[in-house]
Amino acid sequence: MAAFPATPHGTVLEFTMSSADSKFYPGIMRDPGPLGTPDPNDPAKIIVTSSHPAPWNRKVGVYVPSAYVPGSIAPFIVGADGIDRSLFTALDSLIAAHKLPVMIGISIANGGGDAQGSQRGLEHDTMSGRYAEFVEQEVLPLVEAQAHVKLTHDPDARAATGGSSGAA
């Protein structure tokens, strides 16, 4: 995980995505204060009363290894919940050691907030395919356009990583 001066270093490009451009996540926000009230029919659940539509912006970081050949189709790894520079450092080292193929690293920041009623909670704590569809249909095409890379469609050459809710 340490950066070594002799290791070839890739480049990192960052760009911003706006909720105004998203068909999957147009944006929500939770107001400060109490989250909501217990559901009278199920006290284990909370009825969120403090959430409302709101715009947001998120950063996306794209690591392109120095060995990437422009125009070639590359495998990739997607990390959720923030731009992960340690992932990019690890990719530098592992690619240089030939323990990984030349691959693109993509780190996506969450939409903000936490838990029920927040954009982050909606993205990472909702167990559905919606976040994967967001990545596939909105993030990956922007990565290709902004970083001038070609990403594989082979499911065996794609990976995902994350921690806490971002790993879900």
Side-chain angles (χ1 to χ4, degrees):
M1 296 301 291
F4 297 103
T7 300
H9 298 287
T11 58
V12 177
L13 165 81
E14 290 185 16
F15 62 89
T16 302
M17 295 180 70
S18 169
S19 63
D21 300 323
S22 179
K23 69 179 182 180
F24 291 96
Y25 297 118
I28 62 170
M29 176 183 203
R30 195 175 71 218
D31 293 327
L35 175 62
T37 58
D39 183 337
N41 298 320
D42 184 354
K45 292 183 181 177
I46 295 174
I47 299 172
V48 177
T49 57
S50 58
S51 185
H52 56 86
W56 49 261
N57 290 313
R58 79 170 79 232
K59 292 276 190 187
V60 176
V62 182
Y63 162 86
V64 180
S66 61
Y68 175 73
V69 175
S72 64
I73 296 172
F76 63 91
I77 184 168
V78 175
D81 228 4
I83 296 178
D84 186 355
R85 299 221 175 256
S86 63
L87 170 63
F88 302 155
T89 299
L91 289 173
D92 273 339
S93 299
L94 293 168
I95 291 168
H98 303 287
K99 293 183 178 181
L100 280 178
V102 173
M103 67 188 319
I104 307 299
I106 304 163
S107 283
I108 307 167
N110 66 65
D114 200 10
Q116 298 96 330
S118 73
Q119 186 63 45
R120 181 180 184 271
L122 179 63
E123 294 169 7
H124 297 316
D125 298 332
T126 302
M127 294 295 112
S128 72
R130 187 178 188 105
Y131 186 77
E133 291 175 34
F134 163 71
V135 171
E136 182 71 34
Q137 294 180 32
E138 294 185 4
V139 178
L140 298 183
L142 279 175
V143 166
E144 289 183 316
Q146 296 284 330
H148 308 289
V149 296
K150 290 187 178 180
L151 303 173
T152 185
H153 292 280
D154 178 357
D156 290 333
R158 294 174 158 205
T161 184
S164 187
S165 293

